[in-house]
Amino acid sequence: EIVLTQSPDTLSLSPGDRATLSCRASQSVSSYLAWYQQKPGQAPRLLVYDASNRATGIPARFSGSGSGTDFTLSISSLEPEDSAVYYCQQSGATFGQGTKLEIK
Amino acid sequence: QVQLVQSGPEVKRPGASVKVSCKTSGYTFSTYGVGWVRQAPGQGLEWLAWITPYTRSTKYAQKLQGRVTVTTDTSTKTAYMELRSLRSDDTAVYYCARSRGYSFGTPLDYWGQGTLVTVSS
């Protein structure tokens, strides 16, 4: 079973900063990596699929990169509404443990 | 618009079974898969299973294999997830979600509102 490890566990940044979230797979997942955002009390929302493609309606501030085992989600010019937990998922199956992003 | 509407909250005794429904609308049901994900209180997301209505092909998380079954009813455009031999650590919010394609491996682009399943004696 492929294991996804996200880092850091928590990230505290200020509005206007750039956030860089990492997801590492225990073996290659090619480009079959997606990123989701989840706010308290809400269902997850798909942000990026196939490592670097933004989902419908997702602002250009969100960008994904990587292939094989190492992936990154970048969020430029952070806004307070970006506070959430971010999860990566491989091949429509297993998820990483999540990164909590706090905007202070 | 694409919508997935799940059944209401459930309270079950240990050892019982639960069946959660996910009624879809706004898209061609047979040409997209449906995935199931759960989230225990204060915890992360756990992928459970996936099914494609087109061929009724299924995939299951190894951890739950044998206790979980996913099915679809194309006449009502509804997907179902049944979990048997419930334990207290099955207490979670259960989500259904549409996958972007009919093949396994595609991400989940539209989600239901979640169904809280509580297992307690």
Side-chain angles (χ1 to χ4, degrees):
Chain A
E1 178 181 303
I2 297 174
V3 176
L4 298 179
T5 303
Q6 294 186 237
S7 61
D9 289 332
T10 304
L11 189 57
S12 296
L13 295 170
S14 301
D17 285 350
R18 179 183 185 86
T20 302
L21 287 66
S22 174
C23 177
R24 176 164 289 178
S26 59
Q27 63 190 77
S28 177
V29 298
S30 186
S31 294
Y32 300 121
L33 196 287
W35 290 93
Y36 299 83
Q37 175 193 68
Q38 187 181 33
K39 297 181 179 180
Q42 296 184 15
R45 176 173 73 146
L46 178 65
L47 298 175
V48 169
Y49 65 94
D50 292 348
S52 61
N53 295 300
R54 271 188 304 278
T56 303
I58 302 302
R61 303 185 293 105
F62 293 86
S63 63
S65 63
S67 66
T69 60
D70 290 296
F71 300 86
T72 300
L73 175 70
S74 298
I75 312 171
S76 64
S77 192
L78 286 168
E79 299 181 2
E81 67 197 43
D82 297 331
S83 290
V85 180
Y86 292 81
Y87 295 93
C88 57
Q89 182 196 30
Q90 62 87 16
S91 302
T94 53
F95 290 89
Q97 83 279 11
T99 291
K100 183 177 182 179
L101 175 60
E102 300 174 333
I103 313 298
K104 295 180 178 180
Chain B
Q1 71 280 23
V2 175
Q3 286 191 308
L4 293 86
V5 179
Q6 299 182 223
S7 48
E10 302 265 11
V11 179
K12 296 291 184 180
R13 301 290 191 198
S17 298
V18 68
K19 192 169 187 177
V20 179
S21 67
C22 173
K23 185 167 179 59
T24 71
S25 61
Y27 71 97
T28 304
F29 182 65
S30 60
T31 58
Y32 293 84
V34 176
W36 291 87
V37 175
R38 73 180 178 182
Q39 187 168 38
Q43 302 302 308
L45 303 174
E46 180 182 15
W47 178 79
L48 303 178
W50 174 91
I51 183 168
T52 176
Y54 183 66
T55 61
R56 296 185 179 173
S57 174
T58 56
K59 298 283 187 183
Y60 295 104
Q62 194 171 1
K63 173 183 175 183
L64 288 178
Q65 200 130 18
R67 288 207 298 137
V68 64
T69 302
V70 291
T71 57
T72 57
D73 182 340
T74 53
S75 67
T76 60
K77 301 180 183 179
T78 302
Y80 299 91
M81 188 281 304
E82 182 179 31
L83 187 59
R84 299 174 292 278
S85 301
L86 288 167
R87 309 188 294 241
S88 58
D89 62 356
D90 291 319
T91 294
V93 175
Y94 289 74
Y95 293 101
C96 64
R98 189 188 80 164
S99 60
R100 288 190 79 252
Y102 62 82
S103 300
F104 177 67
T106 52
L108 305 171
D109 59 357
Y110 288 91
W111 293 65
Q113 82 278 17
T115 296
L116 176 62
V117 175
T118 303
V119 182
S120 174
S121 55

